[in-house]
Amino acid sequence: MDGSAAGALAPATRLGRGYKGLPAGSIVDLSADLSWIARRGWNVLAGDTGTPVAVLHQDALTRNLAVMAGFCRRHDVGIAPHAKTTMSPELVARQLAAGAWGMTAAVPHQVAALRAWGVDRILLANEVADPAALRWLAGQVGPGAASELLWYVDSVAGVRLADEALAGAGAGGRQRVLLELGHAAGRSGARTAGAARAVARAVQESHRLELAGVAGYEGTIGTDRGPATRAAVTGFLATIGATYADLHAGGLLAATGPRYVSAGGSLFFDLVATAFAPLRQLGAQVLLRGGSYVAHDHGLYQQASPDTEPDWELAGFAAALEIWGRVVSRPEPELALLDVGRRDVSFDAGLPIPLHLVHRGTGTAVPAAGLAVTALSDQHAFLRLPAAADLAVGDLVGLGVSHPCTTFDKWPLLLLVDDRYGVVGGVRTFF
Ligand SMILES: Cc1ncc(COP(=O)(O)O)c(C=O)c1O
């Protein structure tokens, strides 16, 4: 290896990293504190940061945390916010500080991240069929480790697989699992009462598992609050409740330790709180699992969150997440291209929504009236606009997103901004 190649692998070079969104050429040492960002005095509207850049409005985050905490208090329910939305240690810390019971993960490697960040109670809201992961999970709970770690079972085969894997690991005690119920045309989860009971009996017969409750996910039923979706969600939640009651009556739930009933993403958690309230009399702790609420959005969640209901009694959620890009080309009168693409912004639940623009050098945001993103390629957004629109190469455009989860995973670093887009810090993500 010659000297220059060795230099490329020198520790300082390996640790350093340029994050998209920072001014071109900025290198942040990974050991650097995020306060380095706060001390730069950047302003997004002044063009100080690179583009594209992901920003989180600090006030909106604070508000969303408070609104969800207020809802949980009012309805006497707990929340294990879904960490998959942000996978950010800074945001997870804020969710726990706001009173969350613990955190939800989707897969074992997210559990590992949460454990590394010191999270003490974890709900892995998914089945686990990897024997090595099952053995590893069993070692993550108990004295000196997490105080609660639950995962899902929805089949007799899955119960047997877990039992075998845990026996092989010589794990002591019983691992606590939740029985997942699913709905027709939905995702995982036992579909019938008979299937649920069979799984619960298999858990009881196993030597290494015990059933700590029942769970399901209603967010796969629909994304609107119309009567048909609402009826289907309410019906599914009633099935989860009836299953909990049935297993309770049949002596199939764990005799010791807390018991849970869990559902509730960010669209229907109000219906969940109402449907599950009677189960508290049967000893169930209600756990919601919303993740998207923390950032909210300008699309799907803005249109259909519980705060759109006339009887919503708390403040509304606020969209915290925006992606800002620059016009790099205006090749046709009614077309501009931004330096924001599929690598930067979600497109699975609607295209980004132009919110504001800043003419180069003005530092002032004005509403982006009459503009629409009609397509994305890897690194570009196609912005359709009236031929007479005042938008030039070099101008900034602020975009709202629809579905925050699939935007967060595109950003190892998002910048926290105040209400004037002054950069006051950053949050990291680890997907
Ligand atoms: C099982 C499960 N629980 C909770 C959530 C969180 O839902 P939301 O993103 O609406 O907050 C999800 C999201 O996909 C999920 O799959």
Side-chain angles (χ1 to χ4, degrees):
M1 187 184 286
D2 70 30
S4 58
L9 292 174
T13 312
R14 273 183 303 166
L15 285 177
R17 168 164 190 176
Y19 285 94
K20 62 176 177 173
L22 295 183
S26 291
I27 299 291
V28 181
D29 188 318
L30 279 187
S31 65
D33 192 273
L34 285 170
S35 64
W36 179 86
I37 291 168
R39 292 196 301 273
R40 303 272 75 74
W42 293 326
N43 186 287
V44 175
L45 305 189
D48 297 335
T49 68
T51 50
V53 60
V55 305
L56 282 170
H57 285 276
Q58 170 136 284
D59 287 355
L61 282 177
T62 304
R63 177 187 177 114
N64 295 342
L65 290 164
V67 171
M68 189 54 101
F71 179 89
C72 290
R73 271 195 306 275
R74 186 171 288 223
H75 293 272
D76 195 14
V77 296
I79 183 165
H82 210 315
K84 81 176 170 67
T85 298
T86 72
M87 284 309 290
S88 167
E90 291 80 27
L91 295 176
V92 165
R94 291 190 63 174
Q95 288 171 306
L96 293 171
W101 166 91
M103 297 298 299
T104 296
V107 283
H109 73 78
Q110 293 175 355
V111 175
L114 293 173
R115 288 295 304 132
W117 304 337
V119 180
D120 182 50
R121 292 190 188 128
I122 300 172
L123 167 52
L124 169 48
N126 207 348
E127 285 70 23
V128 185
D130 170 0
L134 285 159
R135 290 193 291 270
W136 177 82
L137 287 170
Q140 296 304 305
V141 64
S147 66
E148 185 78 288
L149 174 54
L150 306 147
W151 69 86
Y152 285 177
V153 289
D154 74 348
S155 68
V156 173
V159 169
R160 296 207 173 122
L161 192 152
D163 211 26
E164 258 171 51
L166 296 171
R174 287 178 183 260
Q175 307 303 314
R176 287 157 60 73
V177 292
L178 300 184
L179 170 62
E180 188 191 16
L181 288 180
H183 57 88
R187 214 165 50 187
S188 49
R191 294 293 198 264
T192 63
R197 233 173 276 129
V199 176
R201 273 196 219 103
V203 170
Q204 197 171 49
E205 285 159 15
S206 83
H207 300 291
R208 302 211 150 51
L209 299 178
E210 67 180 5
L211 199 55
V214 183
Y217 181 53
E218 76 298 333
T220 39
I221 292 176
T223 54
D224 63 280
R225 295 183 69 88
T229 304
R230 185 189 292 258
V233 167
T234 307
F236 178 52
L237 296 172
T239 304
I240 296 174
T243 303
Y244 182 95
D246 181 50
L247 300 181
H248 172 83
L252 288 165
L253 294 177
T256 56
R259 295 168 174 191
Y260 306 96
V261 61
S262 176
S266 300
L267 284 180
F268 303 113
F269 60 83
D270 54 337
L271 304 182
V272 174
T274 304
F276 289 175
L279 298 173
R280 280 198 292 272
Q281 283 166 5
L282 301 182
Q285 280 186 37
V286 179
L287 281 186
L288 307 178
R289 298 190 309 269
S292 298
Y293 77 91
V294 70
H296 200 57
D297 73 4
H298 288 94
L300 174 66
Y301 288 91
Q302 188 178 71
Q303 283 151 27
S305 283
D307 64 350
T308 58
E309 292 293 335
D311 61 353
W312 178 255
E313 291 174 330
L314 299 156
F317 293 103
L321 178 60
E322 294 171 7
I323 307 300
W324 281 75
R326 275 193 174 85
V327 179
V328 292
S329 172
R330 193 158 171 193
E332 298 170 16
E334 297 182 353
L335 175 66
L337 281 307
L338 304 180
D339 56 359
V340 177
R342 290 175 174 231
R343 297 261 159 79
D344 311 303
V345 69
S346 33
F347 49 90
D348 58 324
L351 289 168
I353 304 111
L355 302 172
H356 321 283
L357 42 103
V358 176
H359 297 301
R360 191 160 66 94
T362 64
T364 307
V366 294
L371 274 55
V373 173
T374 55
L376 293 171
S377 54
D378 285 356
Q379 308 286 171
H380 292 91
F382 290 70
L383 192 63
R384 290 285 160 191
L385 68 174
D390 180 14
L391 190 73
V393 169
D395 289 352
L396 296 169
V397 179
L399 303 168
V401 309
S402 184
H403 194 191
C405 305
T406 44
T407 294
F408 272 100
D409 61 21
K410 297 168 174 50
W411 293 90
L413 175 71
L414 298 93
L415 302 182
L416 285 172
V417 295
D418 63 20
D419 57 356
R420 297 172 176 208
Y421 289 87
V423 177
V424 295
V427 306
R428 297 162 303 162
T429 69
F430 295 85
F431 284 95

